[in-house]
Amino acid sequence: MYAGHTPWVHPTAPPPAQPQPPDTARANFRWTSSADHIDHFAEGPHYGPVLEPFLVRAVSATISVNPLLSPPTDSHEDYLRWNMIFPTSTCYRTTGPKRSWIKGREAPATFPRLSYIRIISRSFPWMISVKARRQNIGVTCGEVIETLSAYFHGDVAKKEYEGVSTRRRREIWQAYQYNRSTDSNVPGGHLGEQLRRLDWLCSNSRWGGLVRNDEFIKEACGDVLPCTFELKCVPSYPLTPEEASEQQRIARHAENRSRSRPNSRPRSMESRSNSNDGRDSTDTTTEEDESEYD
């Protein structure tokens, strides 16, 4: 046999196997993550499908709320702090710097991801729908907060206000007066004269987190509706001087920005009691209106 000679191979013998290229996809997967430690709430469109509510019920999917939107616990210290009568620019993460919340806004609000969710509460009578702006990503944490804020800054219909008990009307009226006072714990006069939904929160104006509560949902809606969550509204508390100064600074900045933009009205949301259809939202309250309750 001389150099360069190819040895003869019997035609019945199988050809020698070619060397396989490295499985880069699998190697990269092992390098970037572990199948047991995939972050279900990672930002981006590449972490699972976005489900419609009807499909969630059809497949009996179990929905989890992003821990960032959940109530705080002894073992969970990374959550949002926000007094919901103030703009969303005053919302911040407890584990981050004392500045307006940035990290986590684009994270999915739930796992699996959903095209929209509904929110109800013991503190108000409405059902608020939060729809995903991007169908390949689903509802995000930021969209939940922004939708709630826009809804709470909307006007209360006159028949909604007149449909509650006298005692409840007094509580709402007192909150209305306080929210427009010079106290550093409230927005003040820029809220305007119109009764707003945020006034309905009364003293329970602080974000307390989203939870799954099928028992309450069935009690309030008559059935366990898919993709529907309870918003916990917890009592507010006086701010420290430092917090008050920072909140006022952020609120002034947000107000100046809103003045520089064209006027826009937030999308109307459906009412849990369907009391918003054809409603008259003008002249909801005045001081003369309240005199009949004194």
Side-chain angles (χ1 to χ4, degrees), residues 56 59-64 111-112 212:
V56 170
V59 301
S60 300
T62 300
I63 306 300
S64 300
F111 179 82
R212 288 189 57 196

Side-chain angles (χ1 to χ4, degrees), residues 15 23 31 102 139 217 285 293:
D23 188 346
W31 176 260
I102 298 176
V139 175
I217 292 169
T285 59
Y293 308 127

Side-chain angles (χ1 to χ4, degrees), residues 69-72 80 82 84 206-211 231-234:
L69 298 180
S70 301
L80 298 179
W82 177 39
M84 296 181 289
R206 189 165 291 278
W207 167 269
L210 285 184
V211 297
L231 170 62
K232 297 289 187 180
C233 302
V234 298

Side-chain angles (χ1 to χ4, degrees), residues 84-87 148-155 191 196-198 266:
M84 296 181 289
I85 65 177
F86 284 94
L148 285 173
S149 181
Y151 192 77
F152 287 147
H153 279 80
D155 300 339
L191 288 177
R196 299 183 184 275
R197 297 189 185 103
L198 57 85

Side-chain angles (χ1 to χ4, degrees), residues 241-262:
E242 293 78 10
E243 288 178 326
S245 177
E246 179 66 10
Q247 189 137 285
Q248 287 178 337
R249 184 191 67 79
I250 296 175
R252 285 195 301 269
H253 178 67
E255 184 178 358
N256 292 336
R257 288 185 61 189
S258 65
R259 287 176 178 174
S260 65
R261 297 174 179 172

Side-chain angles (χ1 to χ4, degrees), residues 56-208:
V56 170
R57 169 170 281 183
V59 301
S60 300
T62 300
I63 306 300
S64 300
V65 177
N66 191 317
L68 185 60
L69 298 180
S70 301
T73 64
D74 293 338
S75 60
H76 173 57
E77 299 181 350
D78 185 14
Y79 57 92
L80 298 179
R81 291 189 66 178
W82 177 39
N83 189 335
M84 296 181 289
I85 65 177
F86 284 94
T88 60
S89 57
T90 63
C91 178
Y92 65 92
R93 291 179 71 153
T94 54
T95 57
K98 291 296 180 65
R99 67 178 185 183
S100 186
W101 169 43
I102 298 176
K103 185 178 179 181
R105 279 183 175 267
E106 297 301 314
T110 63
F111 179 82
R113 300 168 183 238
L114 301 174
S115 61
Y116 78 89
I117 66 173
R118 292 170 289 212
I119 298 173
I120 62 176
S121 177
R122 301 177 191 273
S123 298
F124 53 79
W126 310 289
M127 175 179 284
I128 305 174
S129 296
V130 184
K131 298 182 179 180
R133 295 195 309 269
R134 293 160 294 182
Q135 291 300 313
N136 63 328
I137 293 180
V139 175
T140 64
C141 293
E143 288 170 345
V144 170
I145 299 299
E146 295 296 339
T147 300
L148 285 173
S149 181
Y151 192 77
F152 287 147
H153 279 80
D155 300 339
V156 173
K158 186 173 184 179
K159 65 179 181 180
E160 288 177 322
Y161 178 73
E162 294 176 344
V164 298
S165 66
T166 300
R167 178 180 177 181
R168 182 59 175 157
R169 284 199 299 268
R170 285 185 180 277
E171 293 174 348
I172 296 171
W173 175 248
Q174 290 171 358
Y176 168 90
Q177 296 280 44
Y178 176 60
N179 289 339
R180 289 154 184 78
S181 70
T182 57
D183 194 298
S184 61
N185 294 287
V186 295
H190 78 82
L191 288 177
E193 295 184 356
Q194 188 69 19
L195 181 67
R196 299 183 184 275
R197 297 189 185 103
L198 57 85
D199 297 312
W200 203 287
L201 301 176
C202 296
S203 61
N204 295 324
S205 63
R206 189 165 291 278
W207 167 269

